Amino acid sequence: MIHIVAKDEKSAGYQVLMRLVAVLASLVASAIIILCMGYNPLDVFSKIVKGSLGSAYRFRETVNKAIPLTMLSLGTAVAFRMKFWNIGAEGQFYMGAFAASFFALNCSNLPAIVLLPLMFVAAIVMSGIWAMIPAILKARFNASETLVTLMLNYVAAKYVSYLQYGPWKDPAGNGFPKIASFAKNAVLPKVFGIHIGWIIVLFCAVLLYILFRKTKLGYEIDVLGESEATARYAGINVKRVMFTAVMISGGLCGIAGMMQASAIERSLSDQLSAGLGFTAVITTWLSQLNPLVMVIVSFLFSALIQGGNFLQSALKIPASMSQILQGIIIFFVLGSEFFLRYKVVVDKKQKSETSGGNR
């Protein structure tokens, strides 16, 4: 018989080494697939690096993609640490962008020093409330937060589409379904040629790291993630901790939407996220829920996305090639997680007894 048995806890150095081996193995597997497609793997890999980091413009584009992806990963991680499976980052992203856009379009007479913080607060509150819907349903009816958050993604995206094609459609758009552009005072300023969102992301990553490692709330979130029964036994108010963590989770995702709408699109659109909310689930897992590691992993994934787009013009390879590479990396890294935690054991004694009985 074959059994899957839990392994003893390995050292941090060993775990890092195994994950690096998994990444290298994924690159080898990717190279084989690229060869089968008739391309030179070294040429493809070099073009991905060149397309994402080869010039100041490409580097800025990579960072611009990394900013919302990192913020969405941070928001997802808060919920994941307490085993609340928030797959709704995409919807929370859109609702945050919607709330920020409401003030950007209707309060454009306010100075930037007032309007921008107002947009941030609106995004945090709106996306936090949106994330609370599945939390309340889970607390009241034990509804699956995975299904509810997933379905709410489509509700949020379709609501933004409704606004874009309906009430918020720009009369000056010559019939084209678009929402009016933001005024200059509703656009985030730049620092070193990149919008200030990169500083906000780094600040939030450090803040979350401190929250998880040094605060009572962070401890309560982790205990709740290990066992709800243990949390209750320890005197933790389960509902309070869950609602607080979910509000933080949704609020961070909403900030990502606000920054993308303000600094990149300078408007609201139903194509705002480009699926980053779903990609954030992957980067969150690959980062082992560590906020500081998320900054690095999200940047690398953004470089892969940006480099994949460059492949289209450089080698006439579909940009979906980068998605294939992402999938291969995820497969190998998640596989390494399994073999880090478990081992496969063949029970030879039982096998021999079965063979003897058959004789």
Side-chain angles (χ1 to χ4, degrees):
M1 293 290 289
I2 298 176
H3 301 279
I4 297 175
V5 181
K7 282 184 178 180
D8 296 332
E9 187 72 22
K10 299 294 184 180
S11 66
Y14 177 82
Q15 293 183 32
V16 171
L17 178 62
M18 284 296 294
R19 291 182 183 114
L20 289 175
V21 170
V23 172
L24 291 175
S26 70
L27 293 177
V28 173
S30 300
I32 294 172
I33 292 177
I34 292 170
L35 274 173
C36 293
M37 295 177 66
Y39 298 100
N40 184 337
L42 294 179
D43 195 19
V44 170
F45 290 147
S46 65
K47 287 293 189 296
I48 289 175
V49 174
K50 182 179 179 181
S52 57
L53 306 172
S55 67
Y57 169 77
R58 292 169 187 161
F59 176 78
R60 285 196 300 270
E61 288 300 301
T62 299
V63 174
N64 283 336
K65 288 180 173 63
I67 290 170
L69 181 56
T70 306
M71 188 64 80
L72 288 165
S73 301
L74 294 173
T76 304
V78 176
F80 278 16
R81 285 187 77 100
M82 66 171 183
K83 302 296 191 295
F84 183 95
W85 308 117
N86 179 16
I87 315 297
E90 186 93 350
Q92 292 145 29
F93 175 96
Y94 274 113
M95 295 312 289
F98 151 70
S101 299
F102 176 84
F103 286 97
L105 296 171
N106 293 285
C107 302
S108 57
N109 57 323
L110 295 175
I113 196 171
V114 176
L115 181 56
L116 288 174
L118 185 60
M119 291 167 64
F120 269 108
V121 172
I124 292 170
V125 173
M126 185 69 232
S127 56
I129 293 173
W130 194 253
M132 282 292 289
I133 296 173
I136 293 171
L137 291 175
K138 181 179 177 66
R140 183 68 180 85
F141 304 107
N142 198 29
S144 169
E145 72 276 14
T146 305
L147 291 176
V148 177
T149 54
L150 183 61
M151 290 187 292
L152 284 175
N153 287 332
Y154 301 102
V155 175
K158 291 302 179 183
Y159 178 65
V160 172
S161 294
Y162 160 73
L163 294 176
Q164 181 176 332
Y165 285 81
W168 286 15
K169 183 178 177 181
D170 186 7
N174 296 320
F176 187 76
K178 65 181 290 291
I179 295 172
S181 299
F182 294 172
K184 288 184 178 180
N185 54 337
V187 176
L188 288 173
K190 293 184 177 181
V191 178
F192 301 124
I194 304 171
H195 72 84
I196 200 172
W198 68 270
I199 297 178
I200 297 171
V201 162
L202 293 178
F203 175 77
C204 288
V206 173
L207 202 62
L208 277 189
Y209 183 83
I210 295 172
L211 171 71
F212 293 144
R213 296 297 181 94
K214 303 293 183 182
T215 68
K216 179 185 176 183
L217 177 60
Y219 169 76
E220 290 175 337
I221 290 173
D222 287 341
V223 172
L224 182 56
E226 290 298 323
S227 169
E228 183 175 329
T230 302
R232 293 186 186 279
Y233 182 78
I236 295 173
N237 188 327
V238 171
K239 287 186 178 180
R240 177 185 61 80
V241 173
M242 181 177 71
F243 290 159
T244 302
V246 168
M247 280 289 292
I248 295 173
S249 176
L252 290 172
C253 295
I255 291 176
M258 178 272 169
M259 293 191 299
Q260 190 74 0
S262 171
I264 304 300
E265 298 296 332
R266 302 189 179 188
S267 182
L268 182 64
S269 164
D270 57 4
Q271 301 297 318
L272 195 65
S273 82
L276 288 178
F278 296 108
T279 306
V281 176
I282 299 168
T283 52
T284 301
W285 271 117
L286 294 181
S287 306
Q288 294 293 293
L289 308 183
N290 185 318
L292 301 183
V293 177
M294 281 173 207
V295 176
I296 300 171
V297 173
S298 297
F299 178 81
L300 293 176
F301 255 72
S302 300
L304 194 56
I305 295 170
Q306 177 64 22
N309 294 335
F310 181 72
L311 288 177
Q312 283 185 301
S313 57
L315 297 176
K316 307 303 179 185
I317 298 177
S320 56
M321 171 58 72
S322 67
Q323 297 176 342
I324 295 174
L325 299 182
Q326 289 176 40
I328 294 172
I329 293 171
I330 294 164
F331 177 81
F332 275 85
V333 172
L334 292 182
S336 72
E337 293 299 320
F338 174 84
F339 288 106
L340 276 171
R341 298 183 184 187
Y342 305 99
K343 60 183 177 180
V344 179
V345 177
V346 179
D347 192 341
K348 295 181 178 179
K349 181 179 178 182
Q350 185 172 354
K351 184 178 180 181
S352 61
E353 288 177 355
T354 304
S355 301
N358 291 335
R359 289 196 299 271

